[in-house]
């Protein structure tokens, strides 16, 4: 029988857990968790998005998106605005305070990633990143991940 650490899926799960723990610990003082951070990072790449798009792109349950957006709106990091061309629809938009928060957390993000990937060389890190990008999108012909 194979050992647990010979299962790639399990190793990816463990890496994800460790990454989440490190990011959440680093973000703790800000009142933001990794799920909030991921939403902010996605919004930094678009000119606003409907909540259903956030759910689809981030892989979060639609009901979770509502709470995350509420939390971030309370912190002043996002706003719900009328969608261009359809005032009945709303989009979530990153605010200037949200952009500032992301700029201020760039160094923290790099430190966490460096700690997580410390055993790897720079070439190995680039390769890992490319492979994760390639395998993380359920539709390889779809748009690039954020």
């Amino acid at each position: 029988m194979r050992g647990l650490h010979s299962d790639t899926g399990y190793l990816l799960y463990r890496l994800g857990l460790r990454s989440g723990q490190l990011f959440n610990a680093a973000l703790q003082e800000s009142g933001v968790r990794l799920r909030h951070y991921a939403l902010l990072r996605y919004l930094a790449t678009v000119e606003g998005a409907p909540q259903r798009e956030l759910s689809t792109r981030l892989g979060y349950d639609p009901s979770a998106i509502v709470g995350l957006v509420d939390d971030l709106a309370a912190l002043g990091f996002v706003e719900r605005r009328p969608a261009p061309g359809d005032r009945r629809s709303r989009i979530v938009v990153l605010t200037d305070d949200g952009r500032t928060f992301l700029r201020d957390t760039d160094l923290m993000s790099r430190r966490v990633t460096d700690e997580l990937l410390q055993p790897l060389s720079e070439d190995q890190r680039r390769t890992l990143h490319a492979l994760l990008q390639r395998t993380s999108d359920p539709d390889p012909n779809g748009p690039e991940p954020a």
Side-chain angles (χ1 to χ4, degrees), residues 5-146:
H5 285 86
S6 67
D7 184 322
T8 302
Y10 175 75
L11 292 174
L12 287 169
Y13 167 76
R14 292 287 303 170
L15 182 64
L17 279 179
R18 184 157 177 253
S19 175
Q21 291 167 344
L22 291 172
F23 266 95
N24 282 327
L27 290 165
Q28 189 171 18
E29 289 180 29
S30 68
V32 170
R33 299 195 41 86
L34 182 56
R35 298 183 113 213
H36 297 102
Y37 183 77
L39 195 151
L40 290 171
R41 280 279 168 215
Y42 178 73
L43 287 175
T45 68
V46 295
E47 294 295 321
Q51 289 183 174
R52 70 184 164 278
E53 178 182 328
L54 296 173
S55 174
T56 301
R57 294 297 288 158
L58 297 172
Y60 297 163
D61 187 83
S63 62
I65 292 293
V66 173
L68 293 171
V69 171
D70 288 345
D71 293 345
L72 292 169
L75 292 168
F77 293 166
V78 301
E79 294 176 346
R80 289 179 175 97
R81 295 182 185 162
D86 184 0
R87 296 189 59 82
R88 293 171 296 168
S89 295
R90 313 280 286 168
I91 60 172
V92 181
V93 177
L94 190 64
T95 64
D96 288 341
D97 286 347
R99 288 184 197 291
T100 299
F101 174 78
L102 287 175
R103 268 194 310 275
D104 291 347
T105 58
D106 276 346
L107 183 58
M108 174 277 307
S109 173
R110 285 189 203 106
R111 280 191 204 135
V112 168
T113 300
D114 284 346
E115 181 179 343
L116 189 65
L117 301 180
Q118 185 275 328
L120 304 179
S121 70
E122 285 301 316
D123 279 349
Q124 290 171 324
R125 290 177 189 207
R126 280 191 290 278
T127 299
L128 176 62
H129 186 86
L131 292 170
L132 289 172
Q133 277 189 314
R134 189 170 169 189
T135 59
S136 68
D137 188 356
D139 179 5
N141 299 317
E144 283 294 310

